[in-house]
Structures are given as structure tokens and as C-alpha cells.
Amino acid sequence: MAERTTRRGGKSFSVTRLPGFAPIAVVVFLVLYAPIATLVGYSFNASESVSQWGGFSLHWYGVALQNGEVTDAAITSMIVAGFAAVISTLVATMAALGTTRRGHVPGQTVIYAMINQPLMVPEIVTAVALLIFFAMVKQATGYTGLGYLILAHSAFCIPFAYLPIRARLEGMDLSLETAAADLYASPWQTFRRVTLPLLMPAIFAGAMLAFVISLDDVVITEFIKSPGQDTLPTFMMGQLRRSMKPDVNAISTLLLGVTLVMLSAFFLLSRKRD
Amino acid sequence: MSSNEDRARAANTRTAWALSTPALALLALAAIGPLLIVLVYSFLTPGAHGNVEWAFSLEGWTGIVATKDIFDDTWGLADANISIFWRSVKLSLLTTVITFAVGFPTAWFIATRPPKARAMWLFLITIPFWTNVLIRTFAINQVIRNEGILNAILLKFGLIDAPLQITYTNTAVLIGMVYVYLPLMVLPLFAVIDRFDMRLLEAGYDLYASRMQILRRVILPITKPGIIAGSILVFVPCLGAYVTPRILGGGKLMMIGNFIELQFGQGRNWPLGAALSMTLLVVVTIALLFYVRTLNGDRKDG
Amino acid sequence: MKKYLIATALLLSSTTLAAAEGELFLYNWGNYTSPEMIKKFEDQYGVKVTITDFDSNDTALAKIEAGAHGFDLAVPSAGFVGIYAEKGLIQELDLARLPNHANIAPEWMNVAWDEGRKWSVPWQWGSTGVSVNTKVYTGDINTSAIFMDPPEELKGKINVIPEMGDVLALATMYEGGEVCSEDPAVMKKVRDALLAAKPSWMAMDYSTVEKMSNNDYAATVDWNGSSMRARLGNADVAYGYPKEGFGLWMDNVVLLKDAKNVDNAYLFMDFIMQPENAAALSAFARYANGIAGSDAFMPEDMKTAPEIVTPAEFADKGHFVLACSGKALEYQTAIWTELQK
């Protein structure tokens, strides 16, 4: 957004600035990163404790990387979350386009309630239902791959992707699309060239949410995972009674590090391109 | 003329349903459909070691409002269930209000950055959430514990004399819930503010509106869809939250999520758990539709 | 997109599809299996072991009962072995294929849940008692009064593990009843005593090792191995054996009915009953293992640990906590709910 200013009382001021908003945002960012900083710090802890400092060491990185269970769990988490985010965002975008800005559509309340259903039921309930249902499917088909986890995650991520996209679509300016249609653009061209670019930030936000929600899931995954399909959260949940080992801190820090490097590369490249 | 309109409307309806079908199919397969199993289970008898016996019983449903006193076999109101439900609603409401209070300025801040930087800020707000909820919750615990950095900082600056006992209090749960659910508020708000036409603000200021008036009369009404989306995404999952209250609250006080989990776990009363969750589903769905209707009362489409 | 998804999913599943030879699927509590011991087994027999974690007996039972789980071996607690057998989820063991079966210590051979060890072999066992920071409280720690009737010094710094069966067993024995009591008079006393004690508790949480080590808690209901690990981090921590009665538990390996890698499963069960390997398990999990002759291979710090070697004076105070059912379970759930409402 180009900085918009207006003249008022002879002084120039920014209209987008609202008093107190920027400081609040800065504090929010600091607070969000405080626990992450602790996590990163303690991943270099020499002692087995996650709260007592025993000196700097890369010990837990070695442990984590040698422990096939932890690395496998991290990889499984990423694969499932990646697929779930893509699939749920895709179908949620379609549903949002279908259900928004159409005036009254018979049955729209039903669609709306169905799409939001995964929000309303505690995880454990879906987990038990899926356990029984998928066990039947597994028995019938013999297939035991990651498909079940991806399917379940895609389903419960839908409302998280749908709601932001719908919110942006609601009341989005129709004039550009009408103009495009007046210029004999096909509905697909209109969508591709006008609606989609306008919608992109929301699709991006929705996909991020879906990804994060999938990464967080414990209970549903715990109930439907097949052998060797532990994700990081279920791996940690299993340890809960025996207390956490710091190698999960190390693997989380590694994941954060990889993410940051990829993002920086992405932003540097996109900056160079212009 | 009217038949044309009818035809357009029918086409519109077809498109709406066609575009929603993939999402609905996925949900029917992996979320809503299997719930029928749970519905059936709510009418069965609990098995001795969890699971169910295939014998019809309504005790799962009666157990929601009434409990038989285990000692004198008299029936009474299930006050435990009610106080657990009420605690969950209260905490979820508080969490929603606080995430909105801090999330709106944050979303506004991100959406008013230069376009190139916006994506980076969005990433920055979600990166902490790339670590899973258990790790994050443990890390929060690390920060707020008596010997944690929060108390260390406060002591150092002389703001307090003795460490604050935050862990295992309701405050700790609230802090944790706000932290965990913040992106669910910020991202939908961002998606709406980002498309907001800042020229409206200019117009407002040109008419000598104060900042407060601009916020109330211009910004909030236009960002309403985002506020609705964000508060649903925070409030509803909060109701069923399980991990955060258990770890940060020290597990002394149950929320609905923990209570239902207990029935499917150590409590071995699946029908009661099933009936409880069906009730929760119905109550929340009705509340949600009512909420959306009320807020959209001034508009035709839902 | 869909095609790519299915292709990838199939690819990802290739390990489970190719389960014909050289694999073993173990379903166990998290952070409970010694990686070194697994490595040794894999090298010795050329079998790839895949460990999958569970976090509670109830979850594990629900998953195995649902079927198509894909596991060969599971490690349920003592009370659950009978339930698995009753529901037809496990196979009777062919003892001829387990030469090391004879290594099971005599006291663990004819156990209440499996007479003659025909259905399960020992994994680890331990006790449920209390851990106390002896710097904070110097009185008698061999009592459940530590959390049921706490001394002034400990009030507000006590943790109770959120394990319904274990906690109610300790509380019931403290009030003079038996584990899984169905006596309403006793259970009423138990409920009232727990409700009266709860305001003195700080938390109901599992992370006792961490928080006893760093002084966040001054006392907790605890498992003996956890207590030992806490002591290694904080020398002030001591383990108490409640004289009113403390809990005993054992986790056991069972062979699941629909196991696909039965031969490897037998190899593995036999392998862990070799004293040296049983000791390796104990060295990792920090509990005793029930295999005769494993003492010789145990780490020094465990041979004499007061948490692992139950002192003679308390030997007859331990009672097995098996899964309660019927009226006893009804009492427990009601009390547990009321405690946390």
C-alpha cells in the first residue's frame, strides 16, 4: 500500500496510521517469539533437562539426527501438513466462490454448517469415529499408507481455509469483474485474471492456517496413524508420561532454521527479480 | 422476464452446489459421515473396558443433565457437567475478546506495510506456529514459570519484589490460549483489511472525522466479515481445547474437551462421551448460525 | 493433482506394503524403548523394527480392537493383558519358540494376570509412590499423607499425576480400603479426603522428572523410575514407599492375533528375555525388568538405587493395580470427575 497522506490543519499525516496500533503489533511479535527463543536456546543445552542450563552443546542435535524415530516423525508431519494445506485450500476456495455473493441460494445454511462442522466437535470424537471407519476401509482395501492421515487432515483443515477466503470475497468489489465480462472475457478468464489475483492474499492466509492447524493435530493422528506414521506431536504425546527429551527442541529448531533459510531465499530472489 | 430470472437463479444454485461439492464430499467422507458412528454409539451401553456393548440405552443422553449419585443412588442435576461447560464458555469468550483486541492492531499493521513486505510479515506471524502445539505450550511454560525469563525481567526492572506465580493458574491457561489461537484471528482479519480501500479513510478525514469515529464508523463495519470469521475460528475450537488447558492449567480443572476425552479414555464411558459431543455440536452450530445471522442482519446474502 | 497425490501416498506406504520379510512392528509407550537395544536386534537378525508410540492403555486398546492396526507386538500394562486375551486380540505363546522364557524370574512367572506366562512376557515393572524434595520437607516420606493430608511445608507445591487408576489406588489404600474397592463407605471417605486435599495441590501433571529436578514441585505422586531420574538431576529428591500401601505395575509384551511377522516377533520376545538385553532396556527406561540374571548387566547406579530396589521393610506393602471394572470403575470415574470439575 502506497503511503496515503492527507492534509489536515496544515500538517501532513498518514491516514493508515491508527494510534497505538503499531506498538501493539510490535509487542505481539516480541511476545510470539519469546517462547520460540527459549526453545531455540534450550536446544543447545548440554543437560538432559529442558529447563536447567547445563552449558552449550550440540549434543541433542546429534541425538535427534541419529534417532530415526524423531526425524521420521518430523518428515511425516511436514508431508501430511503440506498435502492437507494444498487440498483443503483448493476445495475451500471453490466452496467459498460457490457460496459467497450469490444472493439467496437454497441450502446455503446447510453448506455453511457442514463446512464448519470440524470446528464444532472436539478432536477426540472425530478421532474415535475415524478410527472405526478407517479400520473398516483398511481391512477391505489392505491399503495402510499416509492417505488416511492426509484425508482426515484435509477434511478438518477446510473451515480454517474457507473462513478467511470467504471473508475477503464477501463484499469484494464486483465492478472489476463486471468490467471484464463487459469486455467479453470468458468467465474463466475473468476468474483467472481478475478474481483470483484479488483473492490471492486470502488464499495465502487460508493455506497458512491450514498448514499450521495440520501440524498441531495430536488426537486424530494418534487414533488413525498406521505403524511408523508418528508425527512430531504424537511422538511427543507418547513421551508425555516419561517427560520430554530435549531432542524434540533440537529437531524443532532445525525445522525453524530450514524454514527461515527457505523464506529468506524466496524473498531475496523475488526482490532481485523486480 | 420472471422465467429468465428463475433460470438465472437455478443456474446460480447449481453453480453454488457444484463448486461446494468437492469440499462437502471430503467432509462427508472424513468428518461428518463417520460422526454417524458416534451418534449410534451414544445410544448404546458402555463396554466394561471402553468401547460399547450393542444394547440400546439412553443413559448416555440422560447422563448429560442428570447423574445418579454413586453413593445413595438418587438422581440429581449433573452440576459437574454444567460447571465444566460454563468454565469452557467463559474462557473461550475471554480468549476471543483478547485475541481480537491484540489481533486487530496486528493485522492492521501487517496489511498497511508496503505490498512487498506484507507476505514477509505474514510469514513472521505464522512461523512460531510451525512448531507444534505441544512444543509451543511447553515453551510458554518455560517463559512464565517462577524462575522463567518473564519473572526474571520483571524482577530485574524492579516491577515486582517476588516472582509471580503464573503457572498452573487460570491466567496461564488464558495466556496460552491467546497465544495458540492468535493466528486464527489475525489471518482472517488481514485477508479483509488488506482489500480495504484506504481512500475511504482519506474521505473520512477530509470530512473532519476523528480517528475514533473513523475506526467505529468506517473500519469496523467494513472489516466485519473478517471479525466474524476470526471470532468463529477462535471461539469454537477453544471450546474443545484439550492440550493447552491440560499442560498450562496443570490439569486441575477440566474443560469440555478434557471431559469428553476422559469418557473415551480412563472413564470408559463412550456413550456418554458421544452424547456429550453431539450436544456440543448442536448447541454450537445453532449459536454459530444465530451469530452470523444477527451480524449479517442488514444484508440480504448470508 | 489427485494422481500425484495417490502416487506419492502409495510410494510413502511402500514400507508397509513390503512387510513380507525382515520387518517387525512394535506398538509401545513413547520414549520407552532403548534405541541401542533395537539397533543390536536389527543387526543381529537383519530385521527392521518400526516403533510406533501410544500414550495410554485405553488408546492402544481402542486402536487394536478396531482392527487393521498393522502391529505385531504391543506392550500393555498388566491389567490389560487379560482384557486383550478375553477379547481375542492376542495369541497364546508357543513357549517352545522362546528358549529364554526360562529366564523369567520366579516371582514374575505365575502372575495374577497370566498364570505361567502363556500370553505375555515381561517388559518393565515398577511401583507408584511419592517423590519428595527432602530439603523442603524433612519428615516421614513413606506415606500417602504426602498428598492426601499434606504437611504445612508442602502445601501448594504438590503435584498429582493425572492417572486415575494409580491415584485412586493410593488414595483407597490410604483410607484403609483395597485397590478397586466397591465398598461405598470406603469410597465415600476416599472422595471426601481427595476433595479436601486438592486445594493443597499445585498441579495434576505428568512432567514430574523435569519439575522435581528444577524445584517447581516439592512433592509429587510418582513412578519409581521417574523419581530416580529426578534424583539424578536433583540430589534432594527422595522416593517414598507409602506404608498404607503403594501401587505396583508391570508392562508386558503380547503377540497380537493378526500379527504378520510372527517369526520376527518370537525372535524379538526371546531377545528381550536375554539378561543382557533386558538390562539394556532397564538402563534406558530406568525400571526393573523381571528377568533373572539381568542384575549383573545393570548399570552401577541402578543396582543399588533405593527407587529400584524396594527396601525389605516395604516389600509386602506393594499391591498390583490392575484395571478395575464394574462398580469400582463407576466410583472412580465419578470421584475423578468431581475432583476436576
Side-chain angles (χ1 to χ4, degrees):
Chain A
M1 183 106 357
E3 191 74 335
R4 291 207 167 266
T5 55
T6 187
R7 303 197 60 82
R8 193 178 190 185
K11 257 194 321 191
S12 160
F13 85 148
S14 157
V15 294
T16 58
R17 210 180 65 83
L18 287 166
F21 274 29
I24 292 178
V26 170
V27 170
V28 164
F29 276 101
L30 286 178
V31 169
L32 279 185
Y33 278 87
I36 304 303
T38 344
L39 161 77
V40 171
Y42 277 100
S43 74
F44 296 107
N45 191 0
S47 90
E48 186 164 339
S49 162
V50 284
S51 64
Q52 282 169 308
W53 187 248
F56 179 89
S57 147
L58 289 175
H59 173 68
W60 292 109
Y61 285 84
V63 172
L65 290 178
Q66 269 168 16
N67 186 345
E69 252 196 287
V70 189
T71 46
D72 286 353
I75 293 169
T76 309
S77 289
M78 286 293 156
I79 292 174
V80 172
F83 273 109
V86 170
I87 296 170
S88 60
T89 310
L90 192 72
V91 299
T93 309
M94 290 172 68
L97 286 167
T99 53
T100 320
R101 305 189 302 170
R102 289 187 186 276
H104 178 76
V105 170
Q108 63 182 3
T109 310
V110 175
I111 301 181
Y112 190 70
M114 277 180 77
I115 286 181
N116 286 308
Q117 179 274 340
L119 296 175
M120 331 261 177
V121 181
E123 268 191 70
I124 177 76
V125 181
T126 314
V128 170
L130 284 178
L131 166 70
I132 293 156
F133 176 58
F134 282 166
M136 291 191 273
V137 180
K138 281 181 196 177
Q139 235 139 16
T141 62
Y143 171 72
T144 56
L146 275 182
Y148 298 102
L149 281 182
I150 293 173
L151 185 65
H153 280 231
S154 303
F156 71 69
C157 285
I158 287 175
F160 295 93
Y162 172 83
L163 285 171
I165 299 171
R166 180 194 160 102
R168 187 175 174 101
L169 260 175
E170 264 180 51
M172 199 161 85
D173 197 354
L174 278 166
S175 54
L176 282 171
E177 286 157 298
T178 321
D182 288 348
L183 293 169
Y184 298 101
S186 71
W188 170 250
Q189 281 174 321
T190 311
F191 170 73
R192 179 73 188 73
R193 305 270 167 201
V194 182
T195 320
L196 191 62
L198 281 172
L199 207 52
M200 219 46 216
I203 294 177
F204 185 67
M208 291 294 264
L209 269 189
F211 185 78
V212 166
I213 290 296
S214 165
L215 276 188
D216 269 359
D217 179 72
V218 196
V219 184
I220 292 176
T221 312
E222 178 74 31
F223 273 79
I224 63 178
K225 71 188 180 190
S226 294
Q229 291 182 349
D230 271 308
T231 58
L232 268 187
T234 64
F235 176 75
M236 291 182 65
M237 199 66 180
Q239 295 196 341
L240 212 53
R241 305 222 302 188
R242 306 234 327 124
S243 89
M244 297 292 161
K245 275 204 317 191
D247 53 354
V248 286
N249 283 353
I251 200 89
S252 302
T253 306
L254 275 180
L255 284 179
L256 282 177
V258 171
T259 316
L260 281 177
V261 169
M262 275 167 32
L263 285 181
S264 319
F266 173 76
F267 282 110
L268 281 177
L269 283 176
S270 66
R271 182 163 292 182
K272 241 185 203 155
R273 232 187 16 216
D274 319 310
Chain B
M1 187 66 211
S2 90
S3 87
N4 258 352
E5 237 170 58
D6 281 351
R7 215 172 300 148
R9 188 171 295 163
N12 210 10
T13 306
R14 264 199 311 278
T15 322
W17 277 89
L19 281 172
S20 308
T21 301
L24 297 183
L26 197 56
L27 287 163
L29 189 64
I32 302 167
L35 272 191
L36 293 177
I37 300 174
V38 176
L39 183 63
V40 173
Y41 276 26
S42 69
F43 291 104
L44 299 176
T45 313
H49 308 293
N51 220 326
V52 287
E53 307 264 345
W54 285 89
F56 179 82
S57 161
L58 278 176
E59 276 191 32
W61 288 94
T62 51
I64 295 172
V65 283
T67 44
K68 196 157 63 169
D69 189 288
I70 44 168
F71 297 116
D72 54 21
D73 276 355
T74 54
W75 287 84
L77 201 63
D79 62 330
N81 304 11
I82 292 160
S83 64
I84 290 167
F85 184 77
W86 175 231
R87 173 182 309 121
S88 305
V89 171
K90 223 169 38 185
L91 192 64
S92 304
L93 272 177
L94 263 176
T95 308
T96 312
V97 170
I98 298 176
T99 47
F100 176 72
V102 298
F104 191 86
T106 311
W108 184 268
F109 175 83
I110 298 174
T112 51
R113 292 307 94 198
K116 277 264 162 291
R118 251 174 262 167
M120 187 199 72
W121 283 100
L122 261 194
F123 266 117
L124 274 182
I125 203 135
T126 34
I127 282 173
F129 299 87
W130 287 45
T131 58
N132 73 67
V133 67
L134 282 157
I135 294 194
R136 241 177 301 142
T137 313
F138 279 109
I140 295 169
N141 209 30
Q142 243 3 80
V143 171
I144 61 177
R145 58 187 283 265
N146 289 14
E147 291 159 36
I149 48 170
L150 178 67
N151 271 312
I153 292 172
L154 291 177
L155 283 168
K156 179 142 188 173
F157 288 102
L159 293 171
I160 48 171
D161 300 324
L164 295 174
Q165 171 68 41
I166 307 173
T167 36
Y168 310 129
T169 61
N170 286 336
T171 318
V173 180
L174 196 58
I175 292 174
M177 301 278 263
V178 169
Y179 189 107
V180 168
Y181 290 101
L182 190 66
L184 300 181
M185 182 62 90
V186 172
L187 289 170
L189 284 175
F190 163 80
V192 172
I193 299 173
D194 180 67
R195 80 145 202 242
F196 183 70
D197 189 344
M198 296 296 169
R199 279 171 303 186
L200 285 172
L201 297 186
E202 247 169 89
Y205 285 122
D206 286 345
L207 295 170
Y208 292 98
S210 72
R211 290 207 192 260
M212 209 48 213
Q213 281 170 321
I214 292 272
L215 187 66
R216 269 191 35 221
R217 299 280 173 76
V218 184
I219 299 175
L220 287 183
I222 291 182
T223 51
K224 200 163 71 183
I227 301 174
I228 296 175
S231 45
I232 293 172
L233 282 179
V234 173
F235 181 79
V236 182
C238 234
L239 269 182
Y242 167 70
V243 172
T244 314
R246 180 165 149 188
I247 293 171
L248 289 177
K252 275 167 70 180
L253 296 171
M254 273 195 259
M255 304 263 290
I256 305 176
N258 310 81
F259 187 55
I260 292 177
E261 151 85 21
L262 174 69
Q263 308 310 327
F264 284 103
Q266 298 179 39
R268 299 187 197 127
N269 193 343
W270 288 24
L272 176 60
L276 279 168
S277 48
M278 287 297 142
T279 313
L280 186 66
L281 173 65
V282 171
V283 169
V284 178
T285 305
I286 292 172
L288 177 73
L289 291 175
F290 186 71
Y291 172 73
V292 175
R293 280 268 159 84
T294 319
L295 278 178
N296 283 338
D298 49 337
R299 281 217 320 269
K300 288 260 158 61
D301 59 346
Chain C
M1 173 69 227
K2 270 249 163 74
K3 242 183 220 161
Y4 176 64
L5 163 73
I6 293 165
T8 316
L10 280 171
L11 191 77
L12 292 164
S13 72
S14 59
T15 50
T16 38
L17 286 176
E21 226 186 66
E23 297 217 84
L24 179 67
F25 295 97
L26 174 67
Y27 193 33
N28 197 358
W29 302 88
N31 192 13
Y32 202 27
T33 317
S34 157
E36 291 81 18
M37 190 206 70
I38 293 292
K39 178 107 198 3
K40 185 176 163 196
F41 176 78
E42 288 181 330
D43 291 347
Q44 194 166 331
Y45 294 102
V47 171
K48 163 105 184 63
V49 182
T50 304
I51 301 165
T52 310
D53 298 340
F54 61 78
D55 68 336
S56 78
N57 277 310
D58 296 290
T59 310
L61 176 63
K63 277 197 72 157
I64 288 169
E65 205 178 355
H69 47 73
F71 303 113
D72 300 312
L73 294 170
V75 190
S77 299
F80 280 74
V81 174
I83 301 172
Y84 277 62
E86 191 187 303
K87 291 183 182 253
L89 302 173
I90 52 178
Q91 323 184 4
E92 189 166 350
L93 300 175
D94 177 2
L95 299 188
R97 301 179 72 176
L98 295 171
N100 289 327
H101 194 268
N103 290 345
I104 299 176
E107 67 269 32
W108 296 114
M109 186 61 95
N110 290 310
V111 284
W113 61 92
D114 183 7
E115 201 69 27
R117 286 287 178 184
K118 296 194 195 84
W119 296 90
S120 65
V121 301
W123 179 266
Q124 299 271 283
W125 71 274
S127 60
T128 314
V130 291
S131 291
V132 180
N133 186 322
T134 51
K135 224 179 198 157
V136 181
Y137 177 65
T138 48
D140 177 20
I141 65 167
N142 293 308
T143 169
S144 287
I146 293 291
F147 74 100
M148 291 295 289
D149 210 349
E152 212 47 56
E153 298 95 308
L154 293 177
K155 277 188 181 163
K157 298 170 202 152
I158 299 165
N159 177 61
V160 173
I161 48 175
E163 199 68 31
M164 185 174 82
D166 285 347
V167 173
L168 280 161
L170 285 180
T172 313
M173 291 189 281
Y174 182 72
E175 296 299 336
E178 285 174 3
V179 181
C180 290
S181 167
E182 298 190 356
D183 180 345
V186 171
M187 293 318 284
K188 207 167 198 163
K189 263 165 65 187
V190 169
R191 176 190 66 178
D192 296 343
L194 281 170
L195 287 177
K198 196 191 169 194
S200 315
W201 301 350
M202 183 184 209
M204 293 174 77
D205 182 22
Y206 281 125
S207 51
T208 61
V209 178
E210 186 64 32
K211 291 181 179 148
M212 284 304 289
S213 306
N214 69 17
N215 297 319
D216 276 1
Y217 302 146
T220 180
V221 174
D222 212 351
W223 293 300
N224 59 333
S226 293
S227 183
M228 177 182 174
R229 288 162 68 205
R231 173 172 58 82
L232 295 177
N234 178 355
D236 297 328
V237 176
Y239 183 67
Y241 293 86
K243 52 181 169 290
E244 304 85 9
F246 58 89
L248 289 175
W249 54 264
M250 181 176 236
D251 295 329
N252 310 266
V253 185
V254 293
L255 177 57
L256 298 170
K257 189 126 222 170
D258 30 14
K260 293 202 178 64
N261 306 289
V262 175
D263 295 343
N264 295 339
Y266 273 109
L267 285 179
F268 186 80
M269 283 188 283
D270 203 48
F271 179 84
I272 59 163
M273 289 188 289
Q274 239 164 48
E276 196 183 337
N277 301 328
L281 261 188
S282 292
F284 178 83
R286 294 292 187 186
Y287 290 101
N289 53 54
I291 298 297
S294 68
D295 285 355
F297 303 97
M298 291 284 249
E300 271 324 301
D301 60 357
M302 285 183 78
K303 280 182 188 166
T304 51
E307 297 90 356
I308 309 300
V309 185
T310 313
E313 56 176 314
F314 301 115
D316 59 339
K317 300 286 193 287
H319 296 273
F320 252 92
V321 180
L322 302 178
C324 307
S325 53
K327 195 74 191 159
L329 179 66
E330 244 175 75
Y331 282 134
Q332 296 200 351
T333 317
I335 294 174
W336 196 247
T337 305
E338 199 163 333
L339 200 58
Q340 291 180 290
K341 79 173 182 192

